[in-house]
Coordinates of all heavy atoms in Angstrom, one line a residue:
V10 N -20.1 22.5 148.8 CA -21.2 23.3 148.4 C -22.3 23.2 149.4 O -22.8 22.1 149.9 CB -21.8 23.0 147.1 CG1 -23.0 23.9 146.7 CG2 -20.8 23.2 146.0
S11 N -22.7 24.3 150.0 CA -23.8 24.3 151.1 C -25.1 24.0 150.5 O -25.4 24.4 149.3 CB -23.8 25.6 151.9 OG -24.2 26.7 151.2
L12 N -26.1 23.5 151.3 CA -27.4 23.4 150.8 C -28.1 24.7 150.6 O -28.9 24.7 149.6 CB -28.3 22.5 151.9 CG -27.7 21.1 152.1 CD1 -28.5 20.5 153.3 CD2 -27.9 20.3 150.8
S13 N -27.8 25.7 151.4 CA -28.3 27.0 151.2 C -27.9 27.6 149.8 O -28.8 28.2 149.1 CB -28.0 27.9 152.3 OG -26.5 28.0 152.6
L14 N -26.6 27.3 149.4 CA -26.2 27.8 148.1 C -26.9 27.1 147.0 O -27.3 27.7 146.0 CB -24.7 27.7 148.0 CG -24.1 28.1 146.6 CD1 -24.4 29.5 146.3 CD2 -22.7 27.8 146.6
M15 N -27.1 25.7 147.2 CA -27.9 24.9 146.2 C -29.2 25.5 145.9 O -29.7 25.7 144.8 CB -27.8 23.5 146.6 CG -26.4 22.9 146.6 SD -26.3 21.3 147.2 CE -27.4 20.3 146.1
Q16 N -29.9 25.9 147.1 CA -31.3 26.4 146.9 C -31.3 27.7 146.4 O -32.2 28.1 145.4 CB -31.9 26.5 148.5 CG -33.3 26.9 148.4 CD -33.9 27.2 149.8 OE1 -33.2 28.0 150.6 NE2 -34.9 26.4 150.2
H17 N -30.4 28.5 146.6 CA -30.3 29.9 146.0 C -30.0 29.8 144.5 O -30.7 30.5 143.7 CB -29.1 30.7 146.6 CG -28.9 32.0 146.0 ND1 -29.7 33.1 146.2 CD2 -27.9 32.4 145.1 CE1 -29.3 34.1 145.5 NE2 -28.2 33.7 144.8
V18 N -29.2 28.9 144.0 CA -29.0 28.7 142.6 C -30.1 28.2 142.0 O -30.5 28.6 140.9 CB -27.7 27.8 142.5 CG1 -27.6 27.3 141.0 CG2 -26.4 28.5 142.8
R19 N -30.9 27.3 142.6 CA -32.1 26.7 142.0 C -33.1 27.6 141.9 O -33.8 27.8 140.9 CB -32.6 25.5 142.9 CG -33.9 24.9 142.3 CD -34.6 24.0 143.3 NE -35.4 24.7 144.1 CZ -35.5 24.4 145.5 NH1 -34.7 23.7 146.1 NH2 -36.3 25.2 146.3
R20 N -33.3 28.6 143.0 CA -34.3 29.5 142.8 C -34.1 30.6 141.8 O -35.0 31.0 141.1 CB -34.5 30.2 144.2 CG -35.3 29.3 145.1 CD -35.4 30.0 146.5 NE -36.2 29.0 147.4 CZ -36.4 29.4 148.7 NH1 -35.7 30.4 149.3 NH2 -37.0 28.6 149.4
Q21 N -32.7 31.0 141.6 CA -32.5 31.8 140.5 C -32.6 31.3 139.2 O -33.1 31.9 138.2 CB -31.0 32.4 140.7 CG -30.5 33.4 139.7 CD -31.4 34.6 139.8 OE1 -31.5 35.2 141.0 NE2 -32.0 35.1 138.7
T22 N -32.3 30.0 139.0 CA -32.5 29.3 137.8 C -34.0 29.3 137.4 O -34.4 29.5 136.3 CB -31.9 27.9 137.9 OG1 -30.5 28.0 138.1 CG2 -32.1 27.1 136.5
E23 N -34.9 29.1 138.5 CA -36.2 29.0 138.2 C -36.7 30.4 137.8 O -37.7 30.4 136.9 CB -36.9 28.5 139.4 CG -36.8 27.1 139.8 CD -37.3 26.7 141.3 OE1 -37.7 27.6 141.9 OE2 -37.3 25.5 141.5
K24 N -36.3 31.4 138.4 CA -36.6 32.6 138.0 C -36.3 33.0 136.5 O -37.1 33.5 135.7 CB -36.1 33.8 138.9 CG -36.7 33.8 140.2 CD -36.0 35.0 141.1 CE -36.5 35.0 142.5 NZ -35.8 36.0 143.4
D25 N -35.1 32.7 136.2 CA -34.5 32.7 134.8 C -35.4 32.0 133.9 O -35.7 32.6 132.7 CB -33.1 32.3 134.6 CG -32.2 33.3 135.5 OD1 -32.5 34.4 136.0 OD2 -31.0 33.0 135.8
L26 N -35.7 30.8 134.2 CA -36.5 29.9 133.2 C -37.9 30.6 133.1 O -38.4 30.6 132.0 CB -36.5 28.4 133.8 CG -35.3 27.7 133.6 CD1 -35.5 26.3 134.4 CD2 -34.9 27.5 132.1
M27 N -38.5 31.0 134.2 CA -39.8 31.7 134.1 C -39.8 33.0 133.2 O -40.7 33.1 132.4 CB -40.4 32.0 135.5 CG -40.7 30.7 136.2 SD -41.3 31.0 137.9 CE -42.2 32.5 137.8
A28 N -38.7 33.7 133.4 CA -38.7 34.9 132.5 C -38.5 34.5 131.0 O -38.9 35.4 130.2 CB -37.4 35.7 133.0
E29 N -38.0 33.4 130.7 CA -37.7 33.1 129.4 C -38.9 32.2 128.9 O -39.0 31.8 127.7 CB -36.5 32.1 129.2 CG -35.2 33.0 129.5 CD -34.0 32.0 129.5 OE1 -34.1 30.8 129.1 OE2 -33.0 32.5 129.8
G30 N -40.0 32.0 129.7 CA -41.1 31.3 129.4 C -40.9 29.8 129.3 O -41.7 29.1 128.5
K31 N -40.0 29.2 129.9 CA -39.6 27.8 129.8 C -40.1 27.1 131.1 O -40.3 27.7 132.1 CB -38.1 27.6 129.9 CG -37.4 28.1 128.5 CD -35.9 28.0 128.4 CE -35.4 28.6 127.2 NZ -33.9 28.4 127.3
E32 N -40.3 25.8 130.9 CA -40.8 25.1 132.0 C -39.7 24.7 133.0 O -38.5 24.6 132.7 CB -41.4 23.7 131.4 CG -41.9 22.7 132.4 CD -42.4 21.5 131.8 OE1 -42.7 21.5 130.6 OE2 -42.5 20.4 132.4
I33 N -40.1 24.7 134.3 CA -39.3 24.5 135.4 C -39.3 23.0 135.7 O -40.3 22.4 136.0 CB -39.6 25.3 136.6 CG1 -39.6 26.7 136.4 CG2 -38.8 24.8 137.9 CD1 -40.1 27.6 137.4
P34 N -38.1 22.2 135.6 CA -38.1 20.8 135.7 C -38.3 20.5 137.2 O -37.8 21.2 138.1 CB -36.9 20.3 135.1 CG -36.0 21.6 135.2 CD -36.9 22.7 135.0
H35 N -38.9 19.3 137.4 CA -39.1 18.9 138.8 C -37.9 17.9 139.2 O -37.6 17.2 138.4 CB -40.4 18.3 139.0 CG -40.4 17.5 140.4 ND1 -40.6 18.2 141.5 CD2 -40.4 16.3 140.9 CE1 -40.5 17.4 142.7 NE2 -40.3 16.2 142.1
N36 N -37.4 18.2 140.4 CA -36.3 17.2 140.9 C -36.5 16.9 142.3 O -36.7 17.8 143.1 CB -34.9 17.9 140.7 CG -33.8 17.0 140.9 OD1 -33.8 16.2 141.9 ND2 -32.8 17.0 140.0
P37 N -36.6 15.6 142.6 CA -37.0 15.4 144.0 C -35.8 15.9 145.0 O -36.1 16.0 146.2 CB -37.0 13.7 143.9 CG -36.8 13.4 142.7 CD -36.5 14.5 141.8
A38 N -34.6 16.2 144.6 CA -33.6 16.7 145.4 C -34.1 18.0 146.0 O -33.6 18.5 147.1 CB -32.4 16.9 144.7
N39 N -34.8 18.8 145.3 CA -35.4 20.1 145.8 C -36.1 20.0 147.1 O -35.9 20.7 148.1 CB -36.3 20.7 144.8 CG -35.6 21.1 143.4 OD1 -34.3 21.1 143.4 ND2 -36.4 21.3 142.4
T40 N -36.9 18.8 147.2 CA -37.7 18.5 148.4 C -36.8 18.3 149.5 O -36.9 18.8 150.7 CB -38.6 17.4 148.2 OG1 -39.5 17.7 147.0 CG2 -39.4 17.2 149.4
V41 N -35.7 17.6 149.3 CA -34.7 17.3 150.3 C -33.9 18.5 150.8 O -33.8 18.7 152.1 CB -33.6 16.1 149.8 CG1 -32.5 16.0 150.9 CG2 -34.4 14.9 149.5
I42 N -33.5 19.3 149.9 CA -32.8 20.5 150.2 C -33.6 21.5 151.1 O -33.3 22.0 152.1 CB -32.3 21.2 149.0 CG1 -31.2 20.4 148.4 CG2 -31.7 22.6 149.3 CD1 -30.8 20.8 146.9
D43 N -34.9 21.6 150.6 CA -35.8 22.5 151.3 C -36.1 22.1 152.7 O -36.2 22.8 153.6 CB -37.1 22.7 150.5 CG -36.9 23.5 149.2 OD1 -35.9 24.2 149.1 OD2 -37.8 23.4 148.4
A44 N -36.2 20.8 152.8 CA -36.6 20.1 154.2 C -35.4 20.3 155.2 O -35.5 20.7 156.3 CB -36.9 18.6 154.0
M45 N -34.1 20.1 154.7 CA -33.0 20.2 155.5 C -32.7 21.7 155.9 O -32.4 22.0 157.1 CB -31.7 19.7 154.6 CG -31.7 18.3 154.5 SD -31.5 17.2 155.9 CE -29.8 17.6 156.4
L46 N -33.0 22.6 155.0 CA -32.9 24.0 155.5 C -34.1 24.5 156.4 O -33.7 25.2 157.2 CB -33.0 24.9 154.2 CG -31.6 24.7 153.3 CD1 -31.9 25.4 151.9 CD2 -30.4 25.3 154.1
E47 N -35.2 23.9 156.2 CA -36.2 24.2 157.2 C -36.0 23.8 158.6 O -36.3 24.4 159.7 CB -37.6 23.5 156.8 CG -38.3 24.3 155.6 CD -39.4 23.5 155.1 OE1 -40.1 22.7 155.8 OE2 -39.9 23.9 154.0
K48 N -35.1 22.7 158.6 CA -34.7 22.2 160.0 C -33.4 22.8 160.5 O -32.8 22.4 161.5 CB -34.3 20.7 159.8 CG -35.6 19.8 159.7 CD -36.5 19.9 161.0 CE -37.6 18.9 161.0 NZ -38.3 18.8 162.3
G49 N -33.0 23.9 159.7 CA -31.8 24.7 160.1 C -30.5 23.9 159.9 O -29.5 24.0 160.6
R50 N -30.4 23.1 158.8 CA -29.2 22.4 158.6 C -28.7 22.6 157.1 O -28.9 21.9 156.2 CB -29.6 20.7 158.4 CG -30.4 20.3 159.7 CD -29.6 20.1 160.8 NE -28.5 19.1 160.7 CZ -27.6 18.9 161.5 NH1 -27.7 19.4 162.8 NH2 -26.6 18.1 161.4
P51 N -28.1 23.8 157.1 CA -27.6 24.3 155.8 C -26.3 23.7 155.3 O -25.9 23.9 154.2 CB -27.3 25.8 156.1 CG -27.0 25.9 157.5 CD -27.7 24.8 158.2
G52 N -25.5 22.9 156.1 CA -24.3 22.4 155.7 C -23.2 22.5 156.8 O -23.5 23.1 157.9
R53 N -22.0 22.0 156.6 CA -21.0 22.1 157.6 C -20.7 23.5 158.1 O -20.6 23.7 159.4 CB -19.7 21.5 156.9 CG -18.6 21.4 158.0 CD -17.4 20.7 157.4 NE -16.4 20.4 158.5 CZ -15.6 19.6 158.4 NH1 -15.3 18.9 157.3 NH2 -14.6 19.5 159.3
A54 N -20.6 24.4 157.1 CA -20.2 25.8 157.6 C -21.4 26.4 158.5 O -21.0 27.2 159.3 CB -20.0 26.8 156.4
G55 N -22.5 26.0 158.3 CA -23.7 26.5 159.1 C -24.1 25.6 160.4 O -25.1 25.8 160.9
G56 N -23.2 24.8 160.7 CA -23.3 24.0 161.9 C -23.7 22.5 161.6 O -23.9 21.8 162.7
G57 N -24.1 22.2 160.4 CA -24.4 20.8 160.2 C -25.3 20.7 159.1 O -26.0 21.6 158.7
G58 N -25.3 19.7 158.3 CA -26.3 19.3 157.2 C -26.7 17.9 157.4 O -27.3 17.5 158.4
F59 N -26.2 17.0 156.5 CA -26.5 15.6 156.6 C -25.7 14.9 157.7 O -25.9 13.9 158.3 CB -26.3 14.9 155.4 CG -27.2 15.3 154.2 CD1 -26.7 16.2 153.3 CD2 -28.5 15.0 154.1 CE1 -27.6 16.7 152.2 CE2 -29.4 15.4 153.2 CZ -28.9 16.1 152.2
Y60 N -24.7 15.7 158.0 CA -23.7 15.1 159.1 C -23.6 16.0 160.3 O -23.9 17.2 160.2 CB -22.2 15.0 158.5 CG -22.1 13.9 157.4 CD1 -22.2 14.1 156.1 CD2 -21.8 12.6 158.0 CE1 -22.2 13.0 155.2 CE2 -21.7 11.6 156.9 CZ -21.7 11.8 155.7 OH -21.7 10.8 154.8
E61 N -23.2 15.5 161.4 CA -22.8 16.2 162.6 C -21.3 16.3 162.6 O -20.6 15.4 162.3 CB -23.3 15.5 163.9 CG -24.9 15.5 164.1 CD -25.4 16.8 164.5 OE1 -24.7 17.8 164.7 OE2 -26.6 16.7 164.7
Y62 N -20.8 17.4 163.0 CA -19.4 17.6 163.0 C -18.9 18.0 164.4 O -18.5 19.2 164.7 CB -18.9 18.8 162.1 CG -19.4 18.5 160.6 CD1 -20.5 18.9 160.1 CD2 -18.4 17.7 159.8 CE1 -20.8 18.6 158.8 CE2 -18.7 17.4 158.5 CZ -19.9 17.9 158.0 OH -20.2 17.6 156.8
P63 N -18.8 17.1 165.4 CA -18.4 17.4 166.7 C -16.9 17.7 166.7 O -16.1 17.1 166.0 CB -18.7 16.1 167.5 CG -18.9 15.1 166.5 CD -19.3 15.6 165.1
K64 N -16.5 18.7 167.6 CA -15.2 19.1 167.7 C -14.2 18.0 168.1 O -13.0 17.9 167.8 CB -15.1 20.3 168.6 CG -15.8 21.5 168.0 CD -15.5 22.6 169.0 CE -16.4 23.9 168.5 NZ -16.0 24.6 167.4
D65 N -14.7 17.2 169.0 CA -13.8 16.2 169.7 C -13.9 14.8 169.2 O -13.5 13.8 169.7 CB -13.9 16.2 171.2 CG -15.5 15.9 171.5 OD1 -16.3 15.9 170.8 OD2 -15.6 15.6 172.7
A66 N -14.7 14.6 168.0 CA -15.0 13.1 167.4 C -15.1 13.3 165.9 O -15.2 14.3 165.3 CB -16.2 12.7 168.1
K67 N -15.1 12.1 165.4 CA -15.3 12.1 163.9 C -16.8 12.4 163.6 O -17.7 12.3 164.2 CB -15.0 10.6 163.4 CG -13.7 10.2 163.3 CD -13.6 8.8 162.6 CE -12.2 8.4 162.2 NZ -12.1 7.3 161.5
K68 N -16.9 12.9 162.2 CA -18.3 13.2 161.9 C -19.1 12.0 161.8 O -18.6 11.0 161.6 CB -18.2 14.0 160.4 CG -17.9 13.1 159.2 CD -17.9 13.9 158.0 CE -17.6 13.0 156.9 NZ -17.7 13.6 155.6
H69 N -20.4 12.2 161.9 CA -21.3 11.1 161.9 C -22.7 11.6 161.3 O -22.9 12.8 161.4 CB -21.4 10.4 163.2 CG -21.9 11.4 164.3 ND1 -21.1 12.0 165.1 CD2 -23.2 11.7 164.7 CE1 -21.7 12.7 165.9 NE2 -23.0 12.6 165.7
L70 N -23.5 10.7 160.8 CA -24.8 11.1 160.2 C -25.6 11.8 161.3 O -25.6 11.4 162.4 CB -25.5 10.0 159.6 CG -25.1 9.5 158.2 CD1 -25.9 8.1 157.9 CD2 -25.2 10.5 157.2
W71 N -26.2 12.8 160.9 CA -27.3 13.6 161.8 C -28.3 12.5 162.1 O -29.0 11.9 161.3 CB -27.7 14.7 161.1 CG -28.7 15.5 161.7 CD1 -28.8 15.9 163.0 CD2 -30.1 16.0 161.2 NE1 -30.0 16.6 163.4 CE2 -30.8 16.6 162.3 CE3 -30.6 15.8 160.0 CZ2 -32.0 17.2 162.0 CZ3 -31.9 16.4 159.8 CH2 -32.6 17.1 160.9
S72 N -28.6 12.4 163.4 CA -29.7 11.6 163.9 C -31.0 11.8 163.4 O -32.0 11.0 163.4 CB -29.6 11.5 165.4 OG -29.9 12.7 166.0
G73 N -31.3 13.1 163.1 CA -32.6 13.6 162.6 C -33.0 13.1 161.2 O -34.2 13.3 160.8
L74 N -32.0 12.6 160.5 CA -32.3 12.2 159.0 C -33.3 11.1 159.0 O -34.3 11.1 158.2 CB -31.2 11.6 158.3 CG -30.1 12.6 157.9 CD1 -28.8 12.0 157.3 CD2 -30.7 13.6 156.9
A75 N -33.3 10.1 160.0 CA -34.3 9.0 159.9 C -35.8 9.5 160.2 O -36.7 9.0 159.6 CB -33.9 8.0 161.0
E76 N -35.8 10.5 161.0 CA -37.2 11.1 161.2 C -37.7 11.9 160.2 O -38.8 11.9 159.8 CB -37.1 12.0 162.6 CG -38.4 12.4 163.0 CD -38.3 13.3 164.2 OE1 -37.6 13.0 165.2 OE2 -38.9 14.4 164.3
L77 N -36.8 12.7 159.6 CA -37.2 13.6 158.5 C -37.4 12.8 157.2 O -38.3 13.2 156.5 CB -36.1 14.7 158.4 CG -36.3 15.9 157.4 CD1 -37.5 16.6 157.9 CD2 -35.0 16.7 157.2
F78 N -36.7 11.8 156.9 CA -36.8 11.0 155.8 C -37.0 9.6 156.2 O -36.1 8.7 156.0 CB -35.7 11.1 154.8 CG -35.4 12.7 154.4 CD1 -34.3 13.3 155.1 CD2 -36.3 13.3 153.7 CE1 -34.1 14.6 154.7 CE2 -36.0 14.6 153.3 CZ -34.9 15.3 153.8
P79 N -38.2 9.2 156.6 CA -38.3 7.8 157.0 C -38.3 6.8 155.9 O -38.7 7.2 154.7 CB -39.7 7.8 157.7 CG -40.5 8.9 157.1 CD -39.4 10.0 156.8
H80 N -37.8 5.7 156.2 CA -37.8 4.5 155.1 C -39.2 4.0 154.8 O -39.9 3.7 155.6 CB -36.9 3.4 155.6 CG -36.7 2.3 154.6 ND1 -36.2 2.4 153.3 CD2 -37.0 1.0 154.7 CE1 -36.2 1.4 152.8 NE2 -36.8 0.4 153.5
T81 N -39.5 4.1 153.6 CA -40.9 3.7 153.1 C -40.9 2.2 152.9 O -42.2 1.8 152.9 CB -41.3 4.4 151.8 OG1 -40.4 3.9 150.8 CG2 -41.2 5.9 151.9
G82 N -39.9 1.4 152.7 CA -40.0 0.1 152.6 C -40.3 -0.2 151.1 O -40.3 -1.5 150.7
Q83 N -40.5 0.7 150.2 CA -40.6 0.5 148.9 C -39.2 0.4 148.0 O -38.4 1.4 148.3 CB -41.6 1.5 148.2 CG -43.0 1.4 148.8 CD -43.9 2.5 148.3 OE1 -43.3 3.3 147.7 NE2 -45.1 2.4 148.5
P84 N -39.0 -0.5 147.2 CA -37.8 -0.4 146.6 C -37.8 0.8 145.4 O -38.9 1.0 145.0 CB -37.7 -1.7 145.9 CG -39.2 -2.2 145.8 CD -39.8 -1.6 146.9
L85 N -36.6 1.2 145.2 CA -36.4 2.2 144.1 C -36.4 1.6 142.7 O -35.8 0.6 142.6 CB -35.1 3.0 144.3 CG -35.0 3.9 145.6 CD1 -33.7 4.4 145.7 CD2 -36.1 5.0 145.5
D86 N -37.0 2.3 141.8 CA -36.9 1.8 140.5 C -35.4 2.2 139.9 O -34.7 3.2 140.6 CB -37.9 2.2 139.5 CG -38.0 3.7 139.4 OD1 -37.1 4.5 139.7 OD2 -39.1 4.2 138.9
Q87 N -35.0 1.7 138.8 CA -33.8 2.0 138.3 C -33.6 3.5 137.9 O -32.4 4.0 138.2 CB -33.4 1.1 137.0 CG -32.1 1.4 136.4 CD -31.7 0.5 135.3 OE1 -32.7 -0.1 134.7 NE2 -30.6 0.2 134.8
A88 N -34.5 4.1 137.4 CA -34.4 5.6 137.0 C -34.1 6.4 138.3 O -33.4 7.2 138.3 CB -35.6 6.0 136.3
A89 N -34.9 6.1 139.4 CA -34.5 6.8 140.6 C -33.2 6.6 141.2 O -32.6 7.6 141.7 CB -35.7 6.4 141.7
M90 N -32.7 5.2 141.1 CA -31.3 5.0 141.6 C -30.4 5.7 140.8 O -29.3 6.3 141.3 CB -31.1 3.6 141.5 CG -31.6 2.7 142.5 SD -31.3 1.1 142.7 CE -32.4 0.3 141.5
I91 N -30.5 5.8 139.4 CA -29.6 6.5 138.6 C -29.6 8.0 139.0 O -28.5 8.6 139.0 CB -29.9 6.3 137.0 CG1 -29.6 4.8 136.7 CG2 -29.2 7.2 136.2 CD1 -30.1 4.4 135.4
E92 N -30.8 8.6 139.1 CA -30.8 10.0 139.4 C -30.2 10.3 140.8 O -29.5 11.3 140.9 CB -32.4 10.4 139.5 CG -32.4 11.9 139.6 CD -33.9 12.4 139.3 OE1 -34.6 11.9 138.4 OE2 -34.3 13.2 140.2
R93 N -30.3 9.5 141.8 CA -29.7 9.7 143.1 C -28.3 9.6 142.9 O -27.5 10.4 143.5 CB -30.1 8.7 144.0 CG -31.6 8.9 144.4 CD -31.9 8.0 145.7 NE -33.3 8.2 146.0 CZ -33.9 7.8 147.1 NH1 -33.1 7.0 147.9 NH2 -35.2 8.1 147.4
L94 N -27.7 8.6 142.2 CA -26.2 8.5 142.0 C -25.6 9.8 141.2 O -24.6 10.3 141.6 CB -25.9 7.2 141.3 CG -26.0 5.9 142.0 CD1 -25.9 4.7 141.1 CD2 -25.0 5.8 143.1
L95 N -26.3 10.2 140.2 CA -25.9 11.4 139.5 C -25.8 12.6 140.3 O -25.0 13.5 140.3 CB -26.8 11.6 138.3 CG -26.5 10.5 137.2 CD1 -27.5 10.8 136.0 CD2 -25.1 10.5 136.7
F96 N -27.0 12.7 141.2 CA -27.1 13.9 142.0 C -25.9 13.9 143.1 O -25.2 15.0 143.3 CB -28.4 14.0 142.9 CG -28.5 15.0 143.9 CD1 -28.9 16.3 143.3 CD2 -28.3 14.8 145.2 CE1 -28.9 17.3 144.3 CE2 -28.5 15.8 146.1 CZ -28.8 17.1 145.6
I97 N -25.6 12.8 143.6 CA -24.5 12.8 144.7 C -23.2 13.1 144.1 O -22.3 13.7 144.6 CB -24.6 11.6 145.5 CG1 -23.7 11.7 146.8 CG2 -24.0 10.4 144.7 CD1 -24.2 12.8 147.7
Q98 N -23.0 12.6 142.9 CA -21.7 12.9 142.1 C -21.7 14.5 141.9 O -20.6 15.1 141.8 CB -21.6 12.2 140.7 CG -21.3 10.7 141.0 CD -21.4 10.0 139.8 OE1 -21.7 10.4 138.7 NE2 -20.9 8.6 139.8
A99 N -22.8 15.1 141.5 CA -22.9 16.5 141.1 C -22.5 17.3 142.4 O -21.7 18.4 142.3 CB -24.2 16.9 140.7
I100 N -22.9 16.8 143.6 CA -22.5 17.7 144.7 C -21.2 17.3 145.4 O -20.6 17.8 146.1 CB -23.6 17.6 145.8 CG1 -23.9 16.2 146.4 CG2 -24.9 18.3 145.3 CD1 -24.9 16.3 147.5

């Protein structure tokens, strides 16, 4: 699933929830998806996402991740870890 598709589904879901008068839940993954798309990283089919896909070598993490999402040095609480694990399973 591409990041652009994930963003499209999220935006449509937000529109539907607003039309029904329901609250739009916040998810930190939305910030990550939006930031990656702003950097032109929609996913493998679009030329790259979290990974680089060179034709003559194995895939590897995109070097821009560290700059885009710098390590804060603060440990994650258990709820944040659980949410991250569930998110990666979903995608």
